[in-house]
Amino acid sequence: MHPTCAPGGDAMRNNRALRAAIVAAPAVLAGILVASHGCGSARKTENPGPTGSSELNVEITSVQLPQGATDVPKVTFRATDRSGALVDVLTEMGKAASKTVPYISNGPRFTLAQMEPDGSATNWYEATANPGTFTPPAGVTPSPAAAVQPNFQQAPASNPASRITANSDGTFTFAFTAPTTDAARRDPTKPIVAGMWIERIANRQSGGPKRWPAAATKITSASGTPPAAHQAVADSACNTCHVELRAHDRRESVQLCKTCHTGGAGGVVYRDPESNENIDFRALIHRIHSGAELPSVRAGGHFFVVGFQGAVSDFSDVELPALRSATECTVCHNGGADADAWKTKASFVACTACHDNVRFDGSAAASCALGTDDVQPCNHALSPGTVTAASNCAGCHTPGLTSPPIGPDVVHKNALVGLASQWKYEIVNVTVGGDRLPVVQFRVSHGGTPSDVKNDAAWKQGAASRLFVDLAWPTTEFTNEGAGFVDATVTSPQFTTGTPGQGQPVQINALAASTPVAGQAGVFQVTSPIAVPAQFSSIRVVLEGHPAEGVGPAAVRVPVPNAIQDAAVGGGAPAARRQIVSADTCNACHSEVTAHGANRNASPAVCVVCHTPRTTDFVRVVQAENKATNPAPAGTPDTAIDFKVLIHAIHGADIRKTPYTVFAFGGNPTPFPAAFPGQTGRCTICHVGDSYRLPLKSEVLDTTLHAGAPDVQGDPAEQRLGPITAVCTSCHDMVRFDTSAQRPVCNTLVPVNSAECNHTGGTQAEASCASCHAAGSAFDTAAVHPIHEKTQ
């Protein structure tokens, strides 16, 4: 057992989980879903209003290195609250036992490390950590061994003043003990980074006490003015997805992470003693974000580390989303002064983190082959002998090198993004005549040249080629009533000619049904087989699908951004749909959101034409029940896939308690939620403006939970739920509205939604939700969700 997050702990062992995950199912929106957890609460941070808007902010004002043999390093720091008022750290540490708010929990912790030329660091406080008791992943036989690890330092809770001194200007000075790392490996003339993290328990602007963590770093050097910190990865790059990346509860910023997650000078490697994994930031972060793609994992192994109290964090299922590939280095390497180091300073530690099958001692059965995705161990072309762990990898792997193709920027690029950028979909014209049959004209271009969708090879590669025109109505809130969608590929004794799909749009195979338009280069036309029902006056047209690059089995589906156009029936301007999220908010993490086999790409405006309030996964449930192998039980219930419910449930890992299972194409069950990189309750991560607040727009419809007979209009067997309740319970799935005496009241639960509970306001009609949760009300959504404050 190792001292960790507990008060007084010294070894850096509380790496409970820094998880990334994706569920890439064709039936639902794929997502990059990464979460950072640590000792204690796994909740992520809230968005500060103005920068530093928190009940605790810290700044390291100076770092004093030892001036003689008996001197010790010292760090002077300042703590302030939201208003800028000084926080008396010693006084509030003294209130921790009584938990009188506000108080400092556990006390500040400090670390000190010297920066090495390669961007790694040597911690000045090393210790040997022995393996603890843990349960390895199934099928894994670990080789635990004592390992060198970095330490942090903190004042004893019983007498914090023995190490922390209050200064007359409101700052405090912390005195380290004498460094434990071998003096021969310490060099004070190198840049020295001091780091600290601290937590305060205080009230929030509305509500009771909350945890307010804060962290800071400062760089110095005994040789004079130090250089800027090495920034191969900037905090802003991490926070593109993580919003405010924080691990181990209170530790944030890449520079602070690197003071512990690093490799020491003199060949010392910091490792996790249980898994024997390298915890150097360059190795750990690459391996976390490539977990499922690691050759060792694809060959049947696991990548895991062990943290606090023997908790095993297995990253073997971690992937980035389809168009945010782990091989696309600039996803993370951007924003920092040294962001190009990935291509100019290739290193053994970073490269072998992902390429963990490459051997340098000649022990593999075969040599690695360029251009192949090896899984089994293979020998580096210049090993054994020529290349070792100490070699200068950048000497051969230079930027732009194509002959042989081993330049880091040549090898590490997202080919799909490049292919997609060459293609363009356009909707040229939409008309709806007196017969109310929409006529759609469209053009597809490749490299600026019109593509012949009837003859070009890209459109003749079987399932790898697909181009459809989808028609949905009305634009204010898609129901697609009267569209008559039937999936002819899904049949059963009940539906012998195909299963009807409630709420689905008209879909026209543009490769088969289109005809060239005379006099317009590259323009093709399709006519809807279904008339727009008389009660609807606006439609949305979507051109979706994928060309294929390559021929035969090697053909690749290219995720071309869909074209979207709304049109009025009979002319004029179409009714505008409300904007709730935008492509930009989705693509901040997804790069370019893509789903359903590269068919629906780049915009949630496409998703909503199928994921309507009236839609469930009924068609796929029928398919699942009739599978030849492992069929679903007869009578398996269908699940709502209304976009407003689906997306909350998919991304609701921080809150949701029970699985949300959707049957995908092929009748395959796909369970959600998956982990999420930001904080589920911080609505503004995805929502535009205040679109998350009540009341909802009048056109928002009830969600169909279970379809009645999909081919019967108004079947009384259909089950619906009001839109507010449907959205709220898609995350707060433990809330009940029948006030059973066997359940606690929801506002008594910590954490929120941890068990079945009775709605705090009792049984409420849908129409009453806004009376308590609308803007400015007692439980305004913006107040009860962690949106404007920085807290945990």
Side-chain angles (χ1 to χ4, degrees):
M1 184 60 62
H2 310 287
T4 56
C5 296
D10 287 327
M12 197 291 299
R13 299 288 301 131
N14 54 335
N15 53 337
R16 183 171 178 182
L18 178 59
R19 285 296 297 271
I22 177 176
V23 181
V28 286
L29 194 66
I32 175 177
L33 307 163
V34 184
S36 57
H37 305 290
C39 304
S41 170
R43 304 291 297 152
K44 266 69 71 182
T45 62
E46 301 180 17
N47 181 35
T51 300
S53 178
S54 170
E55 290 303 329
L56 182 63
N57 303 284
V58 293
E59 174 193 8
I60 296 176
T61 60
S62 66
V63 180
Q64 179 181 320
L65 299 179
Q67 302 300 306
T70 61
D71 198 11
V72 296
K74 297 181 179 67
V75 169
T76 298
F77 64 95
R78 177 185 291 109
T80 56
D81 65 12
R82 183 188 303 275
S83 69
L86 293 168
V87 172
D88 189 329
V89 172
L90 283 175
T91 296
E92 293 198 7
M93 287 180 67
K95 295 160 61 179
S98 64
K99 296 186 177 179
T100 304
V101 177
Y103 67 92
I104 298 294
S105 172
N106 293 337
R109 303 177 184 186
F110 300 86
T111 186
L112 196 70
Q114 72 190 32
M115 298 295 103
E116 306 296 348
D118 61 0
S120 66
T122 301
N123 195 286
W124 279 23
Y125 294 86
E126 295 175 347
T128 298
N130 293 308
T133 302
F134 71 103
T135 301
V140 173
T141 302
S143 301
V148 176
Q149 289 200 328
N151 270 0
F152 60 74
Q153 296 232 313
Q154 70 181 134
S158 59
N159 184 19
S162 65
R163 302 277 294 280
I164 300 175
T165 302
N167 302 315
S168 59
D169 60 356
T171 63
F172 295 84
T173 298
F174 173 81
F176 287 80
T177 60
T180 60
T181 301
D182 184 0
R185 296 175 48 241
R186 302 196 315 268
D187 184 354
T189 65
K190 291 181 177 179
I192 307 295
V193 174
M196 68 174 293
W197 58 97
I198 186 172
E199 179 183 75
R200 189 188 198 207
I201 309 299
N203 288 326
R204 61 187 295 182
Q205 289 178 318
S206 61
K210 294 290 180 181
R211 306 173 65 199
W212 300 89
T217 58
K218 189 175 182 64
I219 191 167
T220 189
S221 174
S223 62
T225 304
H230 185 276
Q231 274 198 317
V233 177
D235 292 348
S236 59
C238 298
N239 292 337
T240 298
C241 286
H242 290 278
V243 185
E244 288 177 44
L245 178 62
R246 178 170 292 144
H248 313 305
D249 278 352
R250 293 165 292 280
R251 287 162 238 190
E252 58 186 6
S253 92
V254 171
Q255 296 305 316
L256 179 60
C257 296
K258 286 168 57 180
T259 63
C260 290
H261 285 285
T262 187
V268 173
V269 177
Y270 299 150
R271 294 188 179 276
D272 168 35
E274 288 85 8
S275 66
N276 206 30
E277 287 284 353
N278 187 348
I279 63 169
D280 186 322
F281 195 79
R282 297 167 297 172
L284 186 67
I285 298 304
H286 282 100
R287 289 177 69 74
I288 284 175
H289 290 82
S290 303
E293 297 302 316
L294 295 173
S296 60
V297 170
R298 288 185 289 146
H302 284 258
F303 165 53
F304 72 98
V305 292
V306 180
F308 185 49
Q309 296 182 341
V312 175
S313 295
D314 189 342
F315 302 102
S316 304
D317 60 352
V318 172
E319 292 181 287
L320 294 178
L323 294 186
R324 179 78 34 142
S325 169
T327 61
E328 189 179 1
C329 303
T330 53
V331 169
C332 297
H333 290 283
N334 67 74
D338 304 286
D340 283 343
W342 67 273
K343 60 183 177 182
T344 60
K345 297 181 179 179
S347 72
F348 182 89
V349 172
C351 295
T352 57
C354 293
H355 300 284
D356 64 1
N357 61 317
V358 178
R359 301 292 181 262
F360 296 85
D361 58 2
S363 60
S367 295
C368 301
L370 288 176
T372 62
D373 186 16
D374 295 307
V375 172
Q376 297 302 323
C378 61
N379 296 319
H380 186 277
L382 299 180
S383 294
T386 304
V387 174
T388 68
S391 298
N392 175 23
C393 300
C396 289
H397 294 275
T398 57
L401 184 61
T402 59
S403 183
I406 59 173
D409 52 340
V410 172
V411 176
H412 294 100
K413 60 184 179 181
N414 192 325
L416 280 176
V417 172
L419 292 175
S421 68
Q422 297 298 308
W423 290 89
K424 182 180 180 181
Y425 291 168
E426 298 175 81
I427 297 172
V428 177
N429 191 37
V430 178
T431 57
V432 184
D435 58 3
R436 301 183 69 83
L437 296 175
V439 177
V440 180
Q441 295 180 344
F442 67 89
R443 179 189 291 115
V444 177
S445 302
H446 182 245
T449 301
S451 174
D452 183 350
V453 301
K454 308 296 285 188
N455 297 298
D456 287 354
W459 303 107
K460 291 183 170 295
Q461 302 304 316
S465 301
R466 184 184 188 277
L467 190 66
F468 269 63
V469 172
D470 300 341
L471 304 171
W473 51 69
T475 54
T476 50
E477 180 74 309
F478 299 106
T479 64
N480 300 323
E481 182 180 344
F485 178 91
V486 173
D487 191 328
T489 68
V490 180
T491 60
S492 68
Q494 181 184 6
F495 303 108
T496 57
T497 60
T499 302
Q502 181 175 340
Q504 292 298 289
V506 176
Q507 292 190 331
I508 306 167
N509 185 340
L511 297 181
S514 65
T515 57
V517 176
Q520 298 189 57
V523 177
F524 291 81
Q525 178 175 297
V526 296
T527 300
S528 173
I530 304 293
V532 180
Q535 67 267 37
F536 302 128
S537 60
S538 58
I539 64 172
R540 174 164 293 175
V541 181
V542 175
L543 184 61
E544 49 99 347
H546 45 78
E549 294 279 359
V551 178
V556 175
R557 297 181 176 192
V558 181
V560 181
N562 302 144
I564 306 159
Q565 184 171 314
D566 292 348
V569 177
R577 180 180 171 81
R578 65 192 182 279
Q579 186 175 19
I580 304 300
V581 298
S582 73
D584 289 341
T585 57
C586 295
N587 293 335
C589 280
H590 289 273
S591 180
E592 181 179 288
V593 66
T594 183
H596 305 298
N599 287 313
R600 322 285 153 66
N601 307 309
S603 176
V606 173
C607 304
V608 295
V609 305
C610 291
H611 291 282
T612 73
R614 297 290 178 260
T615 310
T616 73
D617 61 352
F618 176 80
V619 175
R620 302 307 159 198
V621 170
V622 173
Q623 189 175 23
E625 291 175 343
N626 291 279
K627 290 174 68 175
T629 58
N630 299 319
T636 295
D638 52 338
T639 299
I641 56 173
D642 179 4
F643 194 72
K644 61 181 178 286
V645 170
L646 176 76
I647 295 304
H648 284 95
I650 285 176
H651 294 87
D654 280 358
I655 298 175
R656 192 174 175 90
K657 186 73 172 179
T658 58
Y660 169 80
T661 299
V662 175
F663 280 85
F665 290 107
N668 299 312
T670 307
F672 291 102
F676 185 60
Q679 183 177 11
T680 301
R682 183 179 162 185
C683 308
T684 50
I685 293 174
C686 299
H687 280 265
V688 173
D690 63 354
S691 61
Y692 60 91
R693 301 179 83 171
L694 299 181
L696 298 180
K697 300 291 186 181
S698 59
E699 65 267 23
V700 180
L701 297 178
D702 294 352
T703 293
T704 296
L705 299 180
H706 302 293
D711 52 353
V712 176
Q713 291 295 324
D715 187 335
E718 182 179 344
Q719 299 177 27
R720 296 183 182 179
L721 189 62
I724 299 173
T725 307
V727 169
C728 293
T729 56
S730 61
C731 285
H732 297 280
D733 60 323
M734 292 285 98
V735 179
R736 304 292 179 261
F737 295 86
D738 58 7
T739 64
S740 168
Q742 306 303 313
R743 295 191 292 259
V745 177
C746 291
N747 68 354
T748 65
L749 290 180
V750 178
V752 172
N753 207 56
S754 57
E756 275 197 317
C757 61
N758 291 326
H759 179 248
T760 303
T763 56
Q764 296 286 336
E766 171 83 11
S768 301
C769 296
S771 64
C772 288
H773 296 288
S777 62
F779 300 98
D780 182 349
T781 306
V784 297
H785 282 78
I787 292 169
H788 300 299
E789 295 177 343
K790 182 179 179 181
T791 184
Q792 262 187 271

